[in-house]
Amino acid sequence: MEKKTKVLGIAPYEGMKTLMTRLAGQRQDIDLTVYVGDLETGAEIASRHSFQDYDVILSRGGTAEMISRISPIPVVEIQLSAYDILRAIKLAENYNDRYAIVGFPGITKNAHFLCDLLEYDIDIYTIRDPDEVVHVLTGLTAKGYRMVLCDVVTNSQAQRLGMRSILFTSGSESIEAAFDQAVKTAGTYEALISKSEFFRTLLEDHPYYMFVYTEKGELIYTSKEHNFSPSVTTAMQNYVSEILTENSKKFYRDEGNLLVAIRGVRKLVYRQTYVVYYVSTRRVPLTLIKNGVRYIDKSQAMEQFYSSFYGLTNPSGVHAPYLEQMNQTGAPVMLLGEDGTGKEEMAAFLYCQSRFQNKPMVIIDCSRVTDRGWQFLTEHSNSPFSDTDTTIYIREIEFLSDRQFKELFSIIRDLNLHIRNHMIFSCTTRETEDINENAKLLMNHFNCLSLTLPPLRANREEIPDLANVYISNLNMQLAREIIGLEPEAASLLKEYGWPGNYNQFKRIMTELFAITDSSYIKGASVSRLLTREQPAAVSPEAPAFDLNRTLEEINLDIARRVLAEEKGNQSRAARRLGIGRTTLWRMLQS
């Protein structure tokens, strides 16, 4: 048995309801429910019904337009045909007084066409809002018009004003055509809904989440329910304009023990541009996120660089031409230099200027990675070493044990990690020491480009300028009005060796700024702080080690003495002792 199309009919007048009911009864493909109501009344009747019970709604003129604004299912308009208008005109020809045609655009458009074709001299007035009807009819009355040819809403107003009216009625051919269109539209709509439901079901079961944004940043579709924090959806919304320009972007966000990988792409669908995000999650141990491995994107890397002391004082300008050449080759990069010379900031700067800037950057801190974290990096399928088109920054490789370095070297070589991704390494070196052997091996085997960042003392003449730049920045942040350095203060800063380089310089300048209560930073203040920074001299009479103890106790004594000489800096102490930072920490806890 042929399926019937369920039609909700809203007729503007009783006669149309009767005609619609009679014609529907003669068809085998229509199941009609019809009510009488015009404009707001008709729309209100439609809204009282469950749209799920019908396939299509049938109405006429302004009523159909109003219903279409609230209906989630198709609305088919019963067109007023040329025959319908011609019938009304023929009836009016028997009337001797002046008359005009008044109606909504759907009526007057066909009326103009018909009058031009048949050379009828009839005045035609178009209304676009029911509130205009009284004004138009009042004007016609003043001009001597006694009758109008009109639709239902105009007909009722004409009667109130004492005007005669002839109603445009829809004939059986117009209603039959509308029924045909309703059946066709319902079939097409059902096919679209079926296909939409099919793909929606598939997307719900897909492991990725999908979010679709308009060009204006409005979220119009999500494939399934999610529990992502606002930081994830806010980031997606904020990156819409960038993806529209760059065509794609990949970034990460931490969500508890989940790493959320987000890939956004620009899509053109039926001449409309959208930004589609494909979102997947990786379950990552919390210890990994907290102890040595983290992901950042371009905006975070730029913030890291430009908010740092190194970025504020802009020493990167010296290296800019070389950095640009480095990024053009795509070769691995080895950053060398003492502690505090800006290796981390330079890695962020390289990433922001590279062709992978719209993909994430993963930072692996070898001084903090635990055994569990290292196992995740080398064995887990969700390890960043499984990624492609990612910037992988492995910092302070000198902290890797021999076993860890051999594993890392094999992974890079066997998986072509340096070809699939952009690799950046850093290694702490001192001017008086040779480059770490493991760093040399990486540089030679993988053809790394190297950049040695000079210590602060190599730019002594620039130190007062750097200090003034930083003072200006602190003035802006803290609403102070410090003008600069006294000559003696500037000289002392230039003469000091700065073993901690830019990191130490920033700390000292911040403290000087905080304790200064005059317009200039005084030489006495600088002298006092720099004296405090000098390591305590080792007395020739310092007590020798008591060898009448266990080896464990002697080692602990050595570790504590080296740690004291390094002013509590466990990283530097561990490096001097030739052990890992974790090993030193365990020794001190014993």
Side-chain angles (χ1 to χ4, degrees):
M1 182 178 178
E2 183 181 359
K3 179 185 175 182
K4 289 188 176 184
T5 300
K6 295 182 178 180
V7 179
L8 174 61
I10 307 293
Y13 54 91
E14 191 68 39
M16 180 180 281
K17 173 185 175 182
T18 301
L19 183 58
M20 291 174 67
T21 302
R22 178 167 58 82
L23 294 174
Q26 299 171 3
R27 301 178 63 124
Q28 300 299 315
D29 56 352
I30 292 288
D31 181 4
L32 175 69
T33 303
V34 61
Y35 298 87
V36 176
D38 193 37
L39 296 177
E40 291 90 349
T41 303
E44 194 273 332
I45 292 172
S47 67
R48 293 203 304 261
H49 289 75
S50 173
F51 294 115
Q52 294 181 348
D53 295 335
Y54 299 96
D55 300 314
V56 67
I57 298 176
L58 209 61
S59 191
R60 196 182 81 164
T63 307
E65 183 179 345
M66 287 187 172
I67 294 173
S68 66
R69 295 173 190 166
I70 63 170
S71 172
I73 63 175
V75 177
V76 173
E77 182 179 355
I78 301 171
Q79 298 292 331
L80 200 63
S81 70
Y83 294 109
D84 299 328
I85 296 173
L86 185 58
R87 275 194 298 267
I89 291 174
K90 286 299 184 181
L91 285 172
E93 285 179 349
N94 299 320
Y95 190 73
N96 295 323
D97 283 338
R98 296 180 68 186
Y99 63 88
I101 295 175
V102 180
F104 285 90
I107 293 175
T108 58
K109 181 179 178 181
N110 284 337
H112 275 293
F113 172 75
L114 192 60
C115 289
D116 288 343
L117 182 65
L118 300 178
E119 297 182 346
Y120 286 164
D121 184 17
I122 303 174
D123 293 327
I124 301 172
Y125 294 87
T126 301
I127 57 175
R128 291 177 172 78
D129 189 279
D131 295 336
E132 299 177 27
V133 173
V134 174
H135 175 72
V136 172
L137 293 181
T138 302
L140 289 175
T141 301
K143 293 177 181 179
Y145 289 90
R146 296 291 177 265
M147 187 176 73
V148 289
L149 281 63
C150 59
D151 57 10
V152 175
V153 65
T154 308
N155 179 68
S156 60
Q157 290 293 346
Q159 290 174 351
R160 292 190 184 96
L161 293 172
M163 297 181 72
R164 293 187 175 90
S165 61
I166 294 177
L167 185 66
F168 288 120
T169 58
S170 297
S172 57
E173 67 280 353
S174 297
I175 295 175
E176 283 284 8
F179 280 153
D180 291 340
Q181 183 62 39
V183 172
K184 183 178 180 181
T185 300
T188 302
Y189 181 71
E190 183 180 15
L192 288 174
I193 291 297
S194 176
K195 185 176 291 187
S196 173
E197 186 68 17
F198 171 75
F199 287 115
R200 186 187 66 81
T201 303
L202 292 181
L203 290 175
E204 282 182 346
D205 294 332
H206 196 278
Y208 282 14
Y209 298 82
M210 293 187 188
F211 296 77
V212 181
Y213 286 80
T214 66
E215 293 178 283
K216 295 181 179 179
E218 300 169 347
L219 178 63
I220 61 171
Y221 174 77
T222 55
S223 61
K224 52 187 173 181
E225 293 294 323
H226 65 87
N227 294 316
F228 298 133
S229 69
S231 68
V232 173
T233 52
T234 300
M236 289 192 288
Q237 186 176 42
N238 291 341
Y239 283 132
V240 165
S241 59
E242 184 176 332
I243 294 172
L244 289 173
T245 302
E246 302 292 337
N247 291 324
S248 67
K249 183 179 184 64
K250 185 177 181 181
F251 55 98
Y252 289 85
R253 285 292 183 272
D254 291 336
E255 291 281 284
N257 64 337
L258 289 178
L259 184 66
V260 183
I262 307 166
R263 182 172 67 92
V265 294
R266 182 177 181 268
K267 293 284 189 181
L268 183 64
V269 182
Y270 292 112
R271 301 180 184 177
Q272 180 65 49
T273 302
Y274 301 94
V275 170
V276 181
Y277 288 101
Y278 302 91
V279 183
S280 61
T281 58
R282 298 177 178 179
R283 189 163 296 279
V284 180
L286 281 172
T287 53
L288 180 64
I289 298 172
K290 294 179 180 178
N291 298 308
V293 179
R294 63 190 178 98
Y295 286 86
I296 62 174
D297 57 31
K298 179 183 175 181
S299 63
Q300 293 169 315
M302 291 179 68
E303 173 68 19
Q304 175 180 322
F305 179 80
Y306 288 109
S307 65
S308 68
F309 179 81
Y310 195 80
L312 288 171
T313 53
N314 196 28
S316 62
V318 178
H319 307 290
Y322 189 44
L323 295 177
E324 185 176 351
Q325 294 174 1
M326 281 183 165
N327 278 327
Q328 287 177 352
T329 65
V333 176
M334 177 68 72
L335 299 173
L336 303 169
E338 296 180 5
D339 277 333
T341 51
K343 296 187 292 296
E344 285 65 48
E345 291 80 1
M346 190 58 68
F349 186 82
L350 276 167
Y351 160 62
C352 290
Q353 305 300 318
S354 74
R355 62 189 177 93
F356 292 129
Q357 60 182 264
N358 286 325
K359 303 296 174 64
M361 177 184 188
V362 58
I363 302 172
I364 301 171
D365 187 345
C366 298
S367 68
R368 297 179 58 204
V369 174
T370 61
D371 291 340
R372 184 179 177 184
W374 187 257
Q375 183 180 7
F376 178 88
L377 286 170
T378 56
E379 298 179 11
H380 203 285
S381 60
N382 285 336
S383 165
F385 292 159
S386 300
D387 285 349
T388 300
D389 294 340
T390 298
T391 298
I392 301 177
Y393 173 38
I394 304 178
R395 67 185 300 270
E396 296 193 303
I397 61 169
E398 68 272 15
F399 279 96
L400 294 177
S401 66
D402 288 342
R403 176 187 63 81
Q404 290 173 333
F405 179 78
K406 289 177 182 178
E407 285 183 316
L408 175 65
F409 186 90
S410 297
I411 288 171
I412 297 173
R413 180 192 60 198
D414 298 343
L415 300 181
N416 286 323
L417 202 63
H418 61 301
I419 296 175
R420 296 190 291 109
N421 304 279
H422 187 213
M423 303 290 299
I424 303 175
F425 307 95
S426 73
C427 181
T428 301
T429 58
R430 296 178 176 83
E431 288 184 312
T432 57
E433 298 178 359
D434 290 336
I435 298 175
N436 178 280
E437 290 299 320
N438 287 341
K440 285 183 182 179
L441 183 59
L442 290 173
M443 293 166 64
N444 292 332
H445 191 88
F446 298 112
N447 298 317
C448 295
L449 302 175
S450 65
L451 176 62
T452 301
L453 300 177
L456 179 57
R457 59 184 174 276
N459 299 309
R460 291 184 186 274
E461 296 304 317
E462 293 184 9
I463 287 177
D465 291 338
L466 300 181
N468 285 324
V469 169
Y470 192 54
I471 289 171
S472 174
N473 181 264
L474 290 175
N475 278 331
M476 180 178 64
Q477 290 183 16
L478 304 176
R480 298 281 301 278
E481 296 180 354
I482 294 179
I483 297 175
L485 304 165
E486 285 186 346
E488 181 187 358
S491 296
L492 289 171
L493 291 175
K494 287 171 60 176
E495 293 168 4
Y496 183 63
W498 299 109
N501 294 292
Y502 292 97
N503 292 348
Q504 183 188 19
F505 186 56
K506 175 186 177 182
R507 175 172 55 81
I508 294 297
M509 287 304 305
T510 302
E511 187 170 350
L512 287 169
F513 187 91
I515 65 177
T516 296
D517 55 5
S518 59
S519 298
Y520 291 89
I521 293 175
K522 300 181 181 299
S525 299
V526 175
S527 177
R528 184 170 66 256
L529 292 190
L530 294 185
T531 300
R532 184 193 66 189
E533 294 293 302
Q534 299 289 347
V538 179
S539 170
E541 290 79 25
F545 286 112
D546 180 5
L547 301 180
N548 296 317
R549 296 179 295 168
T550 66
L551 179 61
E552 183 178 354
E553 291 173 329
I554 295 173
N555 286 339
L556 179 59
D557 197 2
I558 294 172
R560 286 173 174 167
R561 184 171 297 189
V562 171
L563 184 63
E565 291 177 359
E566 294 294 343
K567 296 189 175 299
N569 189 311
Q570 292 191 12
S571 295
R572 289 202 295 265
R575 191 179 298 117
R576 281 182 56 185
L577 293 166
I579 60 178
R581 186 171 177 271
T582 303
T583 303
L584 174 60
W585 181 84
R586 289 172 180 162
M587 288 179 63
L588 296 173
Q589 303 307 308
S590 61

